[in-house]
Amino acid sequence: MGTRTRAQRDAMTIEIGYALLSAAVLAGVTFAAITAPWLLASPGLGPAVLLAGGVPASVVFVLRVVHVLRGYRGAPGTRPGQPGRTSPGA
């Protein structure tokens, strides 16, 4: 296992931060979309409503983080070129 450059570590840190932030936003939107009708109908949120909104929001959070991090390919400039090409302009 080789050592990573500073740029690679920084790129991974940014990618993890983006994954977590975008997942939190999507989970919040999911939770609000599910619980809003009950909140508008009655002033309190019961445990069943919190569960009904929390479970799908948690699933959305995990799926978003996995989706973003599985699509991550590394810092720009660290990917090998296409096989058979001798120069970037070829």
Side-chain angles (χ1 to χ4, degrees):
M1 184 178 245
T3 59
R4 293 189 171 124
T5 66
R6 174 76 182 206
Q8 289 172 323
R9 290 191 311 265
D10 289 347
M12 189 59 170
T13 301
I14 290 169
E15 196 69 19
I16 291 169
Y18 169 73
L20 293 174
L21 183 63
S22 66
V25 169
L26 286 175
V29 168
T30 301
F31 181 81
I34 292 171
T35 60
W38 282 296
L39 184 59
L40 294 174
S42 63
L45 289 176
V49 175
L50 292 176
L51 188 64
V55 170
S58 300
V59 170
V60 166
F61 181 87
V62 171
L63 290 176
R64 177 63 182 171
V65 169
V66 169
H67 175 75
V68 169
L69 294 181
R70 285 194 71 193
Y72 178 69
R73 299 287 182 231
T78 59
R79 283 184 255 170
Q82 293 179 341
R85 286 197 153 180
T86 56
S87 67

